Amino acid sequence: MPASRLWVVDVYGRVFSLSTAGQQWEQCRDAQMEFKRVTAAQQCCWGIACDNNIYLNVHASDLPIRYQEETYENQRWNPIGGFSDHLLPSDRWQWSDITGLKHQPLDSFELPSSSWDWEGDWYVDENFEGEPTEKEGWTYAIDFPAFYTKNKKMTSCVRRRRWLRYRRYKDMDTWAKIPSPQMETPDPFGDISCGGWEISEEPRGRLSLWAVSLLGKVWFREGIYHHNPEGSMWEEVSSPGEVLQISCGPRDLVWAVLWEGQLIVRQGITRDCTKGTSWVEVESPSPDVGATHVAVGINTVWALTKDNKVWFRRGVDSHNPCGLGWISMVGEMITINAGLNDQVFAIGCEDRAVYIRQGVTTSELSGKTWKAISVPRDRDRSHSSASTNSLQSAGCFFSGEVRAQSVVSDVELDTEKASTDGASCLVTSTSPESVVDAPTDHSDQPIETPKPRIPKVTSDSFISELISDREPAKTLREGGSAGPAVPEEEETLLSEGEVKDPCADVALCPSQSGGPLDPQWSNVDLEEAQGHLAQTGTALDLADTSSLSSVATYTLAMEDPYGTDEHPLWAWVSGGGCSVDSHSHLNWFNSMNTSSLVGSVQSMSLSVTPAQTAAWRRQIFEQLSERTKREMDNFKHYEQAIEQSVWVKKGTMQWWRDWKPYKWMDVHFALEQFSGPEGNKDGILFIYYNFYEEKKYLHAFVNELTILVPVLNESKHTFAIYTPERTKQRFPIRLAAATELEMHDWLALLSVSCCHSRGIQGPPSKQAIWSITCKGDIFVSEPSPALEAMPYPTPCDQMFWRQVGGHLRMVECNTVGIVWGIGYDHTAWVYTGGYGGGFFQGLASSTDNIYTQTDVKSVYIYENQRWNPLEGFTNRGLPTDRYMWSDASGLHECTKTNMKPPSTQWTWVSDWAIDYSVSGGTDKEGWQYAADFPVSYHGRKGKTDFVRRRRWARKCKLTTTGPWQEIPPLALSDVTILPCTAQSNVDEVPLWAISNKGDVLCRLGVTTLTPTGSSWLHVGTDQPFKSISIGAASQVWAIARDGSAFYRGSVSPQSPAGDCWYHIPSPSKQKLKQVSVGRTSVLTVDENGNLWYRQGVTPSYPQGSSWEHISNNVRKVSVGPLDQVWIIADKVQGSHSLSCGTVCHRLGVHPVEPKGISWDYGIGGGWDHITVRGNSMEPPHVRLPSLTDASASAPRSPLPFRNMEVNSSAGDS
């Protein structure tokens, strides 16, 4: 997952954040006001300032927030003047929305707030359903409203055209005030909470924002989503009483605390009703002590009572939001918050430190123990190296030289504590003339100073607590324990990683003798603090005594209330945008000061002189030389006893017999590997089985194996072994191990043996061909120069593929070795140069450049129903119908209870939820209707619709390792890299991508040394895109989501984003879905599986002239830097059945015949993606044999491509 942030507010109202990849608190520099509390999501943070107004901080991103405003201009035809603005009285407005019911002239559109700017002026949209319109964007119809077409007909009496204008949100990474008219919110806010971004697959960026006013009323912010981060309006939600605090989880959990201490739960929250319908009261954790705070996550609820005790609610989920009962937990906290993945954060009652709950998993939501987050603030780190010297020079450690009169005569002395701390402490009163020096001898008279009173933060505003501390009658509260009250067994963990600075608890304390208060507690009202200084008459005129210059730190304390080594005091925490789970590696638990650690290392290094280092090296070298002579040189005259080494690994497995009767058989499996005197290795596989009580065996040479593939099987741990002959037959050797660990051991061993026999080691080359299976496994193949040779290329079925660790949905590469990948969760990854990972260990994997990789994908099942006249739609179907709970095909029964993750490596991370993002649309309940099973489905019920279905989705997560490093923070759906030739010298490699929302992006700063690049450049579009490709000479082609093609003009190194898009007409009656561009060739695949070639592409006319059909049954296409064409094909004929997802190579591609001649079939099926954009090896020049040469062997004849009937004729444009 991308790096996320934990947000906190200190007792002075300053906002800080801590990145999951960072090691220090970073202050929000833009905050000119003081905040009471914040609530965070991954893309933004909301806060309530001390003026009781709500502010929004949208995190900066390379992808801008743009909103499209649209309005329609309507005209009617009359016999006199033709089309005009004079409409009939019953017609719609001249300027209206798409329905015609709302009047929308161009001058009626205004910016929602000062945080928005217009990108440009209004312009006409000249694109209609993926095709360009004629005559200034007009579309025609018989009447309003009707079906519109781009062509004018004799019956066209009305017309309309769409006007567009974009506005952009500009206030990024800054606190922008949310406009709130007094009529909406008559009283100011006191609490706020955001969530709801995972309610039934809501669109990304949609949030639910709940707020509580100071009068106890509950408010809900309408219309918050990615293109409108501020929302539209506040709506009051009735409540059974005055609400004190509210908490909203990522899904449909909303809890609130009443002033009397009771808890209420919001029910009826759905995708169509995000506000819910009613409240249900839940008892307080303690009958005698009411609740003060509640925090909810996905399936967790935590609460705090007035005595600061922590409680956990068991049995909470979407089906039972009220839970079953309360469990008392360890610790005393003042505030608590649940973040992503149900992770919990809290602030300690006594020390005001931020704590994280460790051990939180899906099976143990309550976690195990609290651990304090101990990292410095950004200013602490910058000043830590000079803090000690500056304090000494300022006179903080006098060592008996200067001693002022002490004003803390009632301070207790604790010899034991002082000896434990082992450092001197300075107590400075608020009177500038009073300075107390700590004794030089730590064992004689150590001094323990009373801690200043920390204002207690509950659900009330902590600002009032701070102001109340200014009263002279207030006395100091004695310091409590250094953390939450925990049992003895957890005390060690709470203090783990914390080295207490003895001076941290002594920060400039208020005097107990009635002197003025320390201004560090008064920055809520700086004018009042300055007034106190003026009344005391302290001009800080101490320049005449250099030893008393330490009082100068008194003025600095007003700017930074904490001392250099003092722990900050936190008042509020929000983890809604912090993604932490049990696999996360955090650097939040520093056990010592960084500067002291560096100093100790430097002191250690200075103790070793260069002369000593040279002597040690000499001694070690001599010892190694003596050992070599003793063990090797003295035995050279002996003859070699064993010329070849042979070893055998045996095991028992199950083998799928590939002849009738087909069944699994118990077999003995053996790998015999041998090595010659020159180090060359080879081996043989043996499968021993019984056939009619006769022992038989199969064998295969290791150097003939082409690929080892894990097979997705629900009941067995299966993998497949391919050879060239079995690749032609589409029927590999299938073996099943007893356990998944045993299967992975065999796969790793066989893979290493295959690589040794072929002399392959280390990471893939820059010319490697990358492919991905439908299971997400990554494979690479090292191409030979003869792979593209004419007329005798290397057959595809002889290519050797080896697996690379990781899990991806697609991968893209180029010749200079830059490789990017995209996971199923749209996370972008870059190849680090390593090899192995996953189940590859030891020699099969590199020791560096291997990182943890996660991926999340959804598992789908379908609920099917049939209509009957008595009951309507029910789950009782006909005997010939599909299962009422099934997969997409309806052939396999899949229910919520028996459906399992794809493998044991995947774990569920969500509950089953209705999926509304189904092709064809759904109704409000997620149903799709059809006349019968299976036909085309639609989202509205018709009179002839007798069956319906809806799709349920559940997310699962995979955690593995591989040579991949994450590229935050944008989620991508497609990526393309310029396919450089082998001789090209490109300093900065162009890389284009499409976000999961359809925005086009250009990556800047991508080089071979920094393949991740530096930043994204947004390229404007009028509609979302889904596929993009860049070819030689910076040709950028893209496919929009409506199936239309576009070409980007004027793309060059000087203008990496180009200037404009040119619309390219699609093939007749076809919607394109993918494009790939090579050196001179442009090929696309449409939604019906047809492969098209763009004719007429020249440097002077790069848009080309027309489309020519090549083949069908194509899933993906990849065009290389030499115009090589490779595809993933479906329905390839084999010896046993049709194979889906087969790697195929186009033969006969050359400049004279760029479309090629025929197909050569490679590995398959089960493949989903391939890229050859890194293979720029020029094929060798082969001399054609003479026609009269009888000895010349006939060229290999590829299998004919047995396709379905071609859908379109060649030359359609």
Side-chain angles (χ1 to χ4, degrees):
M1 298 295 293
S4 52
R5 290 188 172 273
L6 176 67
W7 292 76
V8 293
V9 181
D10 66 1
V11 294
Y12 303 101
R14 298 180 303 182
V15 180
F16 290 80
S17 64
L18 175 62
S19 172
T20 52
Q23 301 182 40
Q24 63 178 355
W25 294 106
E26 298 178 3
Q27 185 178 357
C28 187
R29 303 296 182 184
D30 182 71
Q32 302 298 326
M33 72 290 293
E34 295 161 348
F35 281 81
K36 294 192 292 184
R37 54 190 60 181
V38 295
T39 178
Q42 285 189 308
Q43 64 269 29
C44 63
C45 182
W46 298 75
I48 301 180
C50 291
D51 57 2
N52 294 323
N53 286 316
I54 291 184
Y55 290 80
L56 172 63
N57 190 322
V58 179
H59 307 334
S61 172
D62 295 318
L63 186 63
I65 298 177
R66 304 168 69 235
Y67 184 82
Q68 176 183 288
E69 298 282 9
E70 66 175 17
T71 186
Y72 287 83
E73 181 183 1
N74 307 299
Q75 290 186 354
R76 176 174 287 277
W77 183 85
N78 64 73
I80 300 177
F83 284 100
S84 67
D85 300 336
H86 301 288
L87 304 175
L88 298 178
S90 59
D91 280 341
R92 56 182 58 190
W93 302 90
Q94 177 192 350
W95 294 90
S96 68
D97 61 355
I98 189 172
T99 64
L101 301 178
K102 184 180 179 181
H103 185 44
Q104 290 187 164
L106 296 180
D107 55 1
S108 66
F109 289 85
E110 297 180 355
L111 294 174
S113 67
S114 58
S115 300
W116 294 86
D117 274 338
W118 292 113
E119 283 191 351
D121 206 350
W122 290 96
Y123 66 95
V124 176
D125 181 17
E126 297 182 352
N127 181 42
F128 178 72
E129 295 182 353
E131 297 182 0
T133 60
E134 299 178 358
K135 297 183 179 180
E136 299 179 349
W138 292 105
T139 57
Y140 301 86
I142 298 177
D143 200 355
F144 299 120
F147 178 74
Y148 293 88
T149 62
K150 67 174 184 177
N151 298 320
K152 180 183 177 182
K153 302 178 181 179
M154 295 295 295
T155 57
S156 299
C157 298
V158 297
R159 68 177 183 178
R160 73 175 185 182
R161 60 179 175 180
R162 186 170 70 156
W163 289 75
L164 300 177
R165 191 180 189 185
Y166 284 89
R167 52 182 168 92
R168 182 190 295 257
Y169 189 82
K170 63 178 181 179
D171 287 344
M172 311 293 285
D173 273 344
T174 183
W175 291 101
K177 184 178 179 180
I178 300 300
S180 178
Q182 293 299 323
M183 62 187 69
E184 293 184 6
T185 55
D187 52 325
F189 292 111
D191 188 39
I192 192 172
S193 179
C194 69
W197 52 81
E198 293 184 8
I199 298 179
S200 302
E201 299 291 336
E202 280 290 330
R204 181 179 179 270
R206 187 174 293 275
L207 291 176
S208 296
L209 184 67
W210 297 77
V212 176
S213 66
L214 296 181
L215 297 182
K217 296 182 180 180
V218 179
W219 296 84
F220 182 83
R221 185 73 175 174
E222 294 277 2
I224 302 177
Y225 57 99
H226 175 74
H227 297 292
N228 187 26
E230 298 174 315
S232 55
M233 61 176 294
W234 289 103
E235 183 175 346
E236 184 177 357
V237 179
S238 61
S239 59
E242 294 183 355
V243 177
L244 174 67
Q245 184 255 337
I246 196 168
S247 179
C248 177
R251 294 185 186 166
D252 53 359
L253 286 182
V254 176
W255 283 53
V257 182
L258 300 180
W259 278 95
E260 293 78 10
Q262 297 93 345
L263 295 162
I264 54 176
V265 183
R266 190 67 175 173
Q267 290 189 331
I269 296 178
T270 62
R271 180 177 184 268
D272 300 312
C273 183
T274 54
K275 297 189 297 294
T277 56
S278 61
W279 295 98
V280 175
E281 186 173 343
V282 176
E283 74 280 2
S284 175
S286 178
D288 301 330
V289 182
T292 60
H293 196 93
V294 67
V296 301
I298 300 176
N299 293 312
T300 58
V301 174
W302 295 74
L304 300 178
T305 51
K306 294 181 180 179
D307 54 0
N308 298 324
K309 300 297 183 182
V310 183
W311 299 83
F312 173 78
R313 186 74 174 178
R314 62 182 179 90
V316 176
D317 55 33
S318 297
H319 305 289
N320 183 22
C322 297
L324 301 176
W326 292 103
I327 300 176
S328 178
M329 307 301 290
V330 173
E332 292 185 0
M333 306 291 174
I334 61 170
T335 184
I336 194 169
N337 189 266
L340 302 176
N341 306 317
D342 286 327
Q343 185 58 58
V344 185
F345 304 92
I347 295 179
C349 178
E350 296 296 339
D351 61 350
R352 294 297 172 82
V354 178
Y355 287 83
I356 183 174
R357 188 72 176 174
Q358 291 197 318
V360 175
T361 61
T362 55
S363 59
E364 190 173 357
L365 295 173
S366 60
K368 296 180 179 180
T369 185
W370 297 103
K371 187 170 184 179
I373 298 177
S374 177
V375 294
R377 295 168 298 154
D378 49 3
R379 66 180 62 189
D380 294 341
R381 178 161 297 189
S382 61
H383 293 88
S384 59
S385 60
S387 60
T388 304
N389 294 333
S390 62
L391 288 176
Q392 289 177 350
S393 63
C396 287
F397 302 103
F398 296 123
S399 302
E401 296 178 1
V402 177
R403 184 174 299 276
Q405 181 180 359
S406 175
V407 295
V408 286
S409 58
D410 57 343
V411 174
E412 298 179 359
L413 302 181
D414 191 345
T415 305
E416 181 180 356
K417 175 175 176 58
S419 60
T420 305
D421 291 343
S424 302
C425 298
L426 169 68
V427 180
T428 306
S429 71
T430 58
S431 177
E433 295 83 10
S434 303
V435 180
V436 178
D437 178 25
T440 313
D441 188 359
H442 304 297
S443 60
D444 293 339
Q445 270 190 326
I447 298 178
E448 179 185 2
T449 62
K451 297 181 181 179
R453 179 181 184 271
I454 303 174
K456 181 177 180 180
V457 178
T458 60
S459 58
D460 296 335
S461 172
F462 64 88
I463 301 299
S464 60
E465 290 284 346
L466 293 176
I467 297 176
S468 64
D469 284 349
R470 301 174 184 159
E471 301 177 8
K474 294 285 184 180
T475 58
L476 293 176
R477 183 177 65 176
E478 295 183 359
S481 61
V486 296
E488 186 175 354
E489 59 268 20
E490 288 195 10
E491 185 176 353
T492 304
L493 181 57
L494 279 173
S495 59
E496 181 182 355
E498 299 179 4
V499 177
K500 187 173 181 181
D501 192 339
C503 294
D505 294 336
V506 197
L508 302 173
C509 307
S511 174
Q512 295 184 358
S513 58
L517 292 175
D518 192 343
Q520 64 171 327
W521 295 102
S522 307
N523 75 325
V524 176
D525 190 350
L526 295 180
E527 295 180 359
E528 182 177 347
Q530 295 173 0
H532 279 291
L533 292 177
Q535 293 175 7
T536 56
T538 54
L540 299 182
D541 188 11
L542 302 175
D544 54 331
T545 307
S546 59
S547 61
L548 292 179
S549 60
S550 63
V551 186
T553 60
Y554 181 87
T555 307
L556 295 177
M558 294 178 59
E559 182 177 335
D560 185 6
Y562 307 113
T564 304
D565 299 325
E566 186 180 1
H567 295 293
L569 308 177
W570 305 115
W572 193 263
V573 61
S574 177
C578 185
S579 179
V580 177
D581 54 25
S582 56
H583 302 284
S584 300
H585 300 284
L586 303 175
N587 299 317
W588 291 356
F589 314 106
N590 298 333
S591 59
M592 62 177 62
N593 190 289
T594 307
S595 60
S596 62
L597 177 62
V598 173
S600 62
V601 173
Q602 291 178 350
S603 62
M604 291 174 59
S605 61
L606 291 175
S607 61
V608 181
T609 62
Q612 291 174 328
T613 304
W616 290 345
R617 291 180 177 175
R618 191 182 309 109
Q619 182 181 1
I620 293 174
F621 178 75
E622 293 175 355
Q623 292 176 355
L624 291 176
S625 300
E626 293 177 0
R627 179 179 175 180
T628 302
K629 184 177 181 181
R630 182 175 65 253
E631 298 181 358
M632 299 293 295
D633 298 345
N634 294 337
F635 299 94
K636 284 184 176 181
H637 59 283
Y638 289 91
E639 295 182 0
Q640 188 171 356
I642 302 177
E643 295 184 357
Q644 293 184 347
S645 61
V646 180
W647 61 270
V648 180
K649 179 177 175 61
K650 299 180 179 180
T652 58
M653 290 190 184
Q654 285 189 318
W655 164 63
W656 179 256
R657 191 169 67 180
D658 52 1
W659 64 81
K660 294 183 179 179
Y662 302 107
K663 65 177 182 178
W664 287 99
M665 298 181 59
D666 294 329
V667 297
H668 292 279
F669 186 77
L671 170 62
E672 180 178 329
Q673 190 169 4
F674 50 86
S675 60
E678 297 180 357
N680 54 333
K681 296 182 179 180
D682 205 346
I684 307 177
L685 289 178
F686 292 96
I687 300 175
Y688 300 95
Y689 65 96
N690 293 327
F691 185 71
Y692 293 111
E693 298 182 356
E694 180 182 357
K695 294 185 177 180
K696 294 188 175 184
Y697 71 90
L698 297 176
H699 75 281
F701 291 98
V702 172
N703 58 9
E704 292 182 353
L705 303 184
T706 56
I707 192 170
L708 306 163
V709 189
V711 179
L712 187 61
N713 192 305
E714 296 181 356
S715 58
K716 296 181 180 295
H717 307 288
T718 312
F719 63 96
I721 301 176
Y722 281 87
T723 61
E725 184 63 28
R726 289 185 174 272
T727 300
K728 297 176 184 177
Q729 299 174 358
R730 310 287 158 213
F731 211 87
I733 301 174
R734 296 177 61 186
L735 298 170
T739 63
E740 187 176 22
L741 179 60
E742 183 181 356
M743 180 189 71
H744 289 164
D745 290 341
W746 275 108
L747 283 174
L749 177 61
L750 293 173
S751 179
V752 172
S753 300
C754 292
C755 291
H756 285 169
S757 65
R758 296 174 179 267
I760 298 176
Q761 60 182 353
S765 67
K766 298 178 180 179
Q767 310 286 335
I769 299 176
W770 295 73
S771 66
I772 296 178
T773 67
C774 58
K775 188 172 172 283
D777 296 323
I778 309 166
F779 288 86
V780 294
S781 178
E782 300 296 339
S784 64
L787 187 61
E788 301 291 340
M790 293 285 292
Y792 310 122
T794 301
C796 287
D797 52 35
Q798 297 183 9
M799 297 174 61
F800 171 69
W801 297 86
R802 57 170 171 156
Q803 188 170 354
V804 177
H807 190 272
L808 296 172
R809 180 181 58 85
M810 69 160 294
V811 66
E812 191 71 4
C813 64
N814 78 338
T815 306
V816 298
I818 299 175
V819 182
W820 279 45
I822 300 177
Y824 281 82
D825 58 355
H826 301 286
T827 301
W829 303 85
V830 65
Y831 176 63
T832 60
Y835 62 95
F839 57 82
F840 294 99
Q841 302 294 334
L843 298 178
S845 177
S846 56
T847 57
D848 54 355
N849 294 326
I850 301 296
Y851 301 92
T852 301
Q853 184 180 12
T854 61
D855 203 358
V856 178
K857 70 177 182 179
S858 296
V859 176
Y860 302 104
I861 60 176
Y862 289 84
E863 180 184 3
N864 308 300
Q865 291 186 354
R866 177 173 286 276
W867 183 86
N868 65 71
L870 299 178
E871 302 176 275
F873 283 101
T874 65
N875 55 4
R876 289 187 294 272
L878 299 178
T880 57
D881 278 344
R882 57 179 59 192
Y883 294 99
M884 292 298 99
W885 288 88
S886 68
D887 59 357
S889 66
L891 302 177
H892 303 91
E893 185 177 15
C894 301
T895 64
K896 293 182 180 180
T897 55
N898 67 9
M899 194 64 184
K900 298 179 181 179
S903 68
T904 56
Q905 295 178 321
W906 294 83
T907 57
W908 295 119
V909 293
S910 70
D911 293 329
W912 289 105
I914 300 174
D915 184 15
Y916 297 91
S917 59
V918 187
S919 177
T922 66
D923 62 5
K924 293 183 178 181
E925 296 180 351
W927 292 104
Q928 289 185 307
Y929 300 87
D932 201 353
F933 299 120
V935 292
S936 60
Y937 295 89
H938 43 269
R940 293 183 179 180
K941 184 183 181 305
K943 294 182 179 180
T944 58
D945 294 332
F946 297 98
V947 297
R948 68 178 185 178
R949 72 171 186 179
R950 62 179 173 184
R951 189 166 74 172
W952 292 77
R954 191 178 187 184
K955 292 182 179 180
C956 54
K957 183 177 182 180
L958 170 72
T959 301
T960 182
T961 58
W964 304 95
Q965 198 166 11
E966 186 178 355
I967 306 175
L970 296 182
L972 304 180
S973 61
D974 195 18
V975 66
T976 179
I977 313 173
L978 179 68
C980 312
T981 59
Q983 295 79 17
S984 63
N985 184 14
V986 180
D987 295 332
E988 188 169 330
V989 180
L991 185 148
W992 290 62
I994 295 179
S995 71
N996 64 332
K997 296 192 298 295
D999 297 284
V1000 179
L1001 306 167
C1002 178
R1003 189 70 171 177
L1004 303 179
V1006 177
T1007 63
T1008 54
L1009 297 179
T1010 58
T1012 58
S1014 57
S1015 61
W1016 290 105
L1017 177 63
H1018 180 260
V1019 181
T1021 60
D1022 291 338
Q1023 57 181 316
F1025 281 32
K1026 61 181 178 181
S1027 177
I1028 196 166
S1029 181
I1030 181 173
S1034 299
Q1035 306 174 69
V1036 177
W1037 286 67
I1039 306 296
R1041 288 185 179 176
D1042 61 4
S1044 56
F1046 289 87
Y1047 173 80
R1048 187 69 176 177
S1050 303
V1051 177
S1052 64
Q1054 294 75 24
S1055 178
D1059 56 2
C1060 63
W1061 292 103
Y1062 296 94
H1063 184 271
I1064 308 297
S1066 302
S1068 177
K1069 299 180 181 180
Q1070 302 293 337
K1071 291 186 177 182
L1072 303 178
K1073 69 174 184 179
Q1074 192 236 335
V1075 63
S1076 185
V1077 185
R1079 180 167 54 185
T1080 60
S1081 298
V1082 178
L1083 282 91
T1084 61
V1085 179
D1086 63 27
E1087 294 181 353
N1088 294 319
N1090 297 306
L1091 181 64
W1092 300 87
Y1093 171 79
R1094 187 67 176 175
Q1095 289 185 329
V1097 176
T1098 62
S1100 59
Y1101 191 67
Q1103 296 94 331
S1105 57
S1106 62
W1107 295 103
E1108 182 174 350
H1109 187 269
I1110 296 179
S1111 178
N1112 53 10
N1113 294 326
V1114 177
R1115 185 184 301 178
K1116 295 281 182 67
V1117 63
S1118 178
V1119 182
L1122 304 179
D1123 287 336
Q1124 316 99 301
V1125 179
W1126 292 66
I1127 64 169
I1128 301 295
D1130 288 334
K1131 300 182 180 180
V1132 174
Q1133 185 69 44
S1135 299
H1136 296 271
S1137 62
L1138 294 176
S1139 177
C1140 295
T1142 302
V1143 175
C1144 298
H1145 176 210
R1146 189 69 173 173
L1147 301 179
V1149 176
H1150 56 85
V1152 180
E1153 186 66 32
K1155 300 184 297 299
I1157 301 174
S1158 61
W1159 294 104
D1160 184 20
Y1161 307 138
I1163 194 68
W1167 255 248
D1168 191 60
H1169 183 84
I1170 189 171
T1171 176
V1172 295
R1173 296 169 67 82
N1175 181 21
S1176 62
M1177 288 191 295
E1178 296 284 350
H1181 298 283
V1182 180
R1183 183 181 64 86
L1184 294 176
S1186 173
L1187 296 177
T1188 60
D1189 188 2
S1191 62
S1193 60
R1196 179 179 183 272
S1197 177
L1199 294 175
F1201 201 179
R1202 298 176 177 88
N1203 295 328
M1204 299 175 59
E1205 184 179 355
V1206 176
N1207 295 330
S1208 300
S1209 60
D1212 287 344
S1213 60

